[in-house]
């Protein structure tokens, strides 16, 4: 089966998995999202796809129909065989409130139900260990199978005949069966009744969460699916938010731009909480603020990295996994990310921008305090110190540094928003300090990032370069959309970086040559600025184009081919889903239009 990003994520903010169009688990890491993939077929290469998956198959399949249960990340896969017999597989990770806290085990449940006729099915469970290097040993008990390899031990508890699974035997499906995969722990309860109860309570949890969202009239289904998936990218135990659930999906064929995105980038997380805040999902913000407070305390006023592990790990050494060929055989497969060593000064702005709402938002269980403000001032001090210093930029260039306009703009935003927070707290002297500093950085940006000969802003100081991130000058409120300098910048960015309906990040060669795909979040940035510039009908057309490029799950990856034919890059990509939510909110007709 040819590999594709047409995948359905399931999860519970601890466990996550990707399921392909055949209903197979093809990607899932243990014991957490940045761990060892027990299901690694996504990176197994087309020639080695016979391991690293978990399948429930018909003897001969005629058709497959897949869809999420409404307003949940619970997946239904309905399989019809050549005789017309039908069975259904319900896949989910349990999540609901129990004993005063949220129950979210590192576990998955598959419920297999006969629907009509007499289906004959085969269950194939072929996990991997140590990134494909470890031999997996299977042992069986009376109602479970254990899979042991490397440092991983998984237990599959089931009411199906264990020998059928162990031998991958074809058998008649005459009544529903349940499989519960997780740590090596027994289940001392009626498995079928427990699974059905967990399904009911997990369904109720997600539908109740969706009801808390404040969404606009149009594109509701797309926004809800994006919001649910952003929540699945949270590692709730610590508050971290990962950039994507995968590693090493290339940005285009043969590019070697294969990165591990299963970590918490402060930049990406800022955009996630910003988008979910616009939907009223305060729970994600509040949990992420706890993650940030821990980082701020550890930094003690010093350097803060652009990314951390979901357990706040600072060291994320980048290595290779030679036993996995990679997506469609296009390695390398990377584990870890060298960007943790980078200087990326925009992170100080993103920390402040993520945090400042807590000084104003009365909904929060833990509003920001005076002590929080003083701790945040240390982040602002770094932003002010570094606003005109070179860094690797938000695209994390590995072979060059510059004073990037985007990074300097985010340092300005840090000082500007600290001034707002100080005013809210009644700290007039501190407000004056931060407002003066914001004004000083603004002067620097306007003098050094604006190119008077070209009549527009440039991507770096005293430069001429074009970068789609210049469109963010409007979103951060540094420039108004009707500012003539911004209009000229938009025109130049469109001319230089737009390819039909899609936007490149940049076109100048980098460490890996010339980029060959468009970057989805940049297209959404263009849509936002077009709307704010009065080109709303064009913006709506581009937005509908992007909606049409989503997978069957309603999601997007990081990149897209310039002809729009295929998605590339890690999946599901939080950046892209953030863009979808923000544009839908901005472009939708109001509810009053139908009342």
């Amino acid at each position: 089966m040819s590999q594709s990003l047409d995948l359905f994520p399931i999860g519970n903010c601890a466990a996550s998995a990707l399921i392909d169009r055949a209903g197979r688990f093809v990607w899932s890491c243990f014991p957490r999202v940045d761990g060892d993939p027990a299901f690694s077929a996504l990176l197994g290469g087309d020639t080695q796809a016979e391991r690293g998956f978990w399948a429930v198959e018909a003897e001969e399949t005629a058709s497959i129909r897949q869809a999420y249960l409404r307003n949940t990340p619970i997946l239904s896969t309905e399989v019809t065989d050549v005789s017309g017999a039908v069975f259904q597989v319900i896949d989910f990770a349990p999540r609901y409130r129990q004993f005063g806290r949220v129950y979210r085990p590192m576990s998955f449940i598959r419920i297999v139900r006969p629907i009509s006729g007499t289906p004959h099915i085969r269950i194939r469970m072929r996990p991997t260990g140590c990134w494909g290097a470890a031999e997996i040993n299977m042992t069986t008990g009376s109602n479970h199978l254990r899979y042991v390899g490397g440092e991983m031990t998984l237990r599959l508890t089931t009411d199906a005949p264990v020998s059928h699974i162990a031998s991958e035997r074809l058998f008649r499906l005459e009544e529903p069966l349940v499989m519960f995969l997780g740590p090596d722990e027994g289940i001392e309860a009626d498995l079928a009744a427990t699974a059905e109860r967990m399904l009911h309570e997990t369904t109720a949890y997600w539908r109740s969460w969706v009801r808390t969202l404040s969404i606009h009239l149009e594109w509701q289904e797309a926004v809800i699916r994006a919001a649910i998936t952003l929540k699945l990218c949270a590692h709730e135990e610590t508050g971290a938010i990962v950039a994507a659930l995968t590693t090493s999906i290339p940005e285009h064929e043969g590019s070697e731009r294969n990165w591990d995105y299963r970590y918490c980038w402060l930049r990406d997380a800022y955009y996630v909480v910003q988008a979910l805040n616009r939907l009223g999902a305060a729970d994600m913000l509040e949990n992420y603020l706890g993650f940030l407070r821990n980082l701020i305390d550890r930094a003690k006023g010093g350097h803060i990295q652009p990314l951390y592990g979901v357990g706040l790990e600072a060291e994320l050494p980048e290595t290779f996994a030679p036993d996995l060929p990679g997506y469609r055989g296009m390695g390398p497969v990377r584990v870890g990310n060298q960007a943790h060593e980078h200087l990326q000064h925009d992170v100080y702005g993103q920390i402040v921008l993520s945090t400042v709402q807590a000084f104003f938002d009365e909904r929060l269980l833990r509003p920001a305090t005076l002590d929080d403000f003083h701790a945040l001032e240390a982040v602002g001090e770094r932003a002010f110190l570094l606003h005109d210093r070179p860094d690797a930029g938000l695209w994390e260039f590995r072979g060059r540094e510059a004073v990037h306009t985007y990074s300097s703009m985010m340092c300005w935003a840090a000082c500007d928003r600290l001034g707002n927070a100080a005013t809210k707290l009644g700290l007039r002297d501190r407000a004056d300090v931060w407002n003066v500093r914001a004004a000083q950085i603004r002067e620097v940006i306007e003098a050094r990032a604006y190119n008077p000969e070209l009549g527009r802003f440039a991507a770096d100081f005293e430069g001429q370069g074009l970068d789609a991130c210049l469109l963010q000058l409007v979103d951060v409120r540094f420039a108004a959309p009707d500012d003539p300098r911004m209009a000229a910048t938009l025109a130049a960015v469109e001319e230089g970086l737009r390819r039909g309906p899609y936007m490149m990040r940049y076109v100048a060669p980098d460490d890996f040559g010339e980029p060959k795909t468009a970057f989805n979040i940049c297209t959404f940035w263009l849509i936002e600025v077009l709307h704010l510039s009065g080109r709303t009908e064009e913006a709506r057309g581009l937005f509908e184009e992007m909606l049409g490029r989503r997978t069957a799950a309603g999601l997007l990856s990081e990149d897209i081919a310039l002809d729009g034919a295929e998605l590339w890059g890690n999946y599901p990509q939080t950046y892209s889903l953030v863009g979808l939510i923000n544009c839908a909110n901005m472009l939708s007709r109001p509810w009053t239009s139908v009342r």
Side-chain angles (χ1 to χ4, degrees):
M1 178 178 295
S2 179
Q3 290 165 331
S4 163
L5 293 183
D6 198 3
L7 305 169
F8 289 82
I10 64 171
N12 62 6
C13 305
S16 61
L18 298 178
I19 298 173
D20 71 7
R21 297 307 302 275
R24 307 184 310 161
F25 277 55
V26 294
W27 184 257
S28 184
C29 298
F30 289 82
R32 60 186 205 186
V33 64
D34 56 357
D36 183 16
F39 300 111
S40 60
L42 182 63
L43 299 183
D46 286 341
T47 60
Q48 295 190 28
E50 287 306 303
R51 61 177 186 148
F53 65 87
W54 181 14
V56 182
E57 304 166 338
E59 181 176 12
E60 292 185 75
T61 298
S63 64
I64 294 177
R65 185 171 64 180
Q66 287 175 298
Y68 286 114
L69 303 192
R70 179 177 174 270
N71 292 355
T72 76
I74 301 169
L75 181 63
S76 167
T77 300
E78 192 171 283
V79 181
T80 302
D81 68 18
V82 293
S83 74
V86 181
F87 68 91
Q88 178 192 44
V89 183
I90 297 291
D91 288 311
F92 69 102
R95 180 182 174 87
Y96 50 87
R97 292 200 65 82
Q98 176 176 272
F99 307 131
R101 60 184 182 273
V102 175
Y103 175 68
R104 41 170 168 72
M106 188 65 204
S107 303
F108 300 101
I109 294 176
R110 310 195 82 175
I111 301 174
V112 187
R113 298 167 173 162
I115 302 299
S116 64
T118 306
H120 290 75
I121 69 168
R122 176 180 286 110
I123 298 170
R124 295 197 291 162
M125 177 82 166
R126 298 184 181 181
T128 53
C130 295
W131 293 87
E135 191 73 26
I136 299 298
N137 296 308
M138 179 184 67
T139 62
T140 62
S142 58
N143 62 1
H144 74 270
L145 301 92
R146 295 173 73 248
Y147 299 88
V148 182
E151 298 180 358
M152 182 184 67
T153 300
L154 295 176
R155 178 187 289 240
L156 181 69
T157 302
T158 183
D159 54 9
V162 169
S163 64
H164 287 354
I165 299 175
S167 61
E168 299 184 355
R169 180 183 301 136
L170 193 69
F171 66 96
R172 290 169 62 103
L173 180 67
E174 297 181 330
E175 57 185 8
L177 63 85
V178 172
M179 292 177 282
F180 188 108
L181 179 69
D184 191 18
E185 301 169 355
I187 298 176
E188 297 181 0
D190 182 305
L191 184 61
T194 299
E196 290 293 342
R197 175 181 62 81
M198 288 182 172
L199 174 61
H200 173 77
E201 296 194 28
T202 300
T203 303
Y205 169 84
W206 284 104
R207 289 179 176 167
S208 295
W209 184 78
V210 168
R211 284 187 64 210
T212 70
L213 302 180
S214 175
I215 59 176
H216 292 279
L217 176 63
E218 296 182 272
W219 307 298
Q220 292 181 48
E221 188 174 347
V223 169
I224 288 170
R225 182 55 50 200
I228 288 173
T229 307
L230 288 181
K231 190 170 176 66
L232 294 185
C233 290
H235 184 72
E236 195 167 60
E237 181 186 36
T238 63
I241 301 169
V242 299
L245 297 179
T246 58
T247 177
S248 303
I249 308 299
E251 294 181 13
H252 57 81
E253 186 172 2
S255 68
E256 295 192 17
R257 300 171 187 264
N258 302 14
W259 314 118
D260 191 348
Y261 278 6
R262 302 168 304 144
Y263 307 109
C264 183
W265 269 260
L266 305 187
R267 177 188 313 113
D268 302 55
Y270 153 67
Y271 282 112
V272 170
V273 297
Q274 178 202 52
L276 290 177
N277 283 344
R278 291 170 176 170
L279 299 180
D283 58 329
M284 287 282 287
L285 168 65
E286 197 144 30
N287 209 30
Y288 178 59
L289 291 181
F291 183 83
L292 287 183
R293 287 192 294 270
N294 277 297
L295 291 184
I296 292 168
D297 287 350
R298 289 169 56 171
K300 301 183 186 304
H303 171 64
I304 296 177
Q305 298 174 189
L307 72 153
Y308 291 84
V310 298
L312 293 106
E313 295 86 357
E315 297 295 323
L316 302 170
E318 188 172 297
T319 59
F320 299 104
D323 294 283
L324 291 177
Y327 180 73
R328 299 184 187 169
M330 289 183 276
V333 171
R334 300 179 198 261
V335 184
N337 199 301
Q338 185 250 332
H340 77 275
E341 301 174 358
H342 288 186
L343 299 177
Q344 295 177 29
H345 303 326
D346 59 304
V347 298
Y348 301 103
Q350 274 116 20
I351 290 173
V352 175
L353 286 167
S354 298
T355 304
V356 73
Q357 181 173 333
F359 294 98
F360 295 87
D361 195 336
E362 295 294 338
R363 298 173 302 163
L364 302 183
L365 297 174
R366 186 197 179 281
T369 66
L370 185 60
D371 286 343
D372 292 334
F373 175 77
H374 290 316
L376 201 59
E377 283 194 294
V379 178
E381 294 286 353
R382 292 285 294 177
F384 184 66
L385 174 68
L386 299 170
H387 73 271
D388 58 354
R389 306 281 182 87
D391 71 354
L394 85 160
W395 306 129
E396 300 178 343
F397 296 116
R398 296 193 171 201
R400 65 174 187 259
E401 286 190 336
V403 182
H404 291 96
T405 301
Y406 178 89
S407 296
S408 188
M409 173 189 71
M410 281 296 177
C411 291
W412 166 82
C415 297
D416 180 73
R417 302 319 194 262
L418 279 168
N420 294 346
T423 299
K424 177 64 167 62
L425 294 171
L427 303 174
R428 186 167 301 173
D429 291 346
R430 299 310 300 163
D432 289 343
V433 167
W434 290 111
N435 289 334
V436 167
R437 289 178 173 180
Q440 291 174 338
I441 298 176
R442 174 179 282 278
E443 289 180 6
V444 170
I445 294 173
E446 292 183 339
R448 300 183 62 189
Y450 181 74
N451 186 316
E453 294 181 4
L454 299 175
R456 62 167 174 83
F457 289 101
D460 43 36
F461 282 13
E462 285 88 33
Q464 300 181 2
L466 283 173
D467 193 303
C469 66
L470 291 170
L471 300 176
Q472 285 288 281
L473 288 164
V474 174
D475 184 73
V476 179
R477 303 200 304 270
F478 184 89
D482 58 355
D483 183 329
R485 299 172 302 175
M486 196 62 221
T489 302
L490 169 60
V493 166
E494 277 198 271
E495 181 180 359
L497 303 181
R498 185 171 172 177
R499 302 291 184 269
Y502 310 122
M503 284 288 293
M504 310 283 285
R505 287 178 291 180
Y506 51 86
V507 293
D510 60 16
D511 318 341
F512 292 84
E514 293 184 7
K516 295 182 180 179
T517 49
F519 204 73
N520 290 325
I521 184 62
C522 298
T523 302
F524 288 118
W525 288 346
L526 173 65
I527 292 168
E528 291 179 23
V529 176
L530 289 177
H531 167 68
L532 293 171
S533 301
R535 296 161 62 183
T536 297
E537 288 308 308
E538 183 181 357
R540 287 176 66 92
L542 290 182
F543 184 61
E544 291 285 0
E545 165 71 22
M546 291 302 294
L547 291 180
R549 300 304 176 181
R550 294 173 298 155
T551 63
L555 305 173
L556 290 164
S557 65
E558 182 180 42
D559 306 273
I560 191 168
L562 296 181
D563 62 2
E566 186 167 15
L567 294 173
W568 291 91
N570 283 304
Y571 174 91
Q573 177 71 18
T574 55
Y575 263 159
S576 302
L577 303 182
V578 161
L580 187 157
I581 290 171
N582 289 343
C583 288
N585 284 349
M586 186 174 288
L587 296 171
S588 174
R589 290 179 292 128
W591 284 101
T592 52
S593 66
V594 296
R595 289 176 182 163

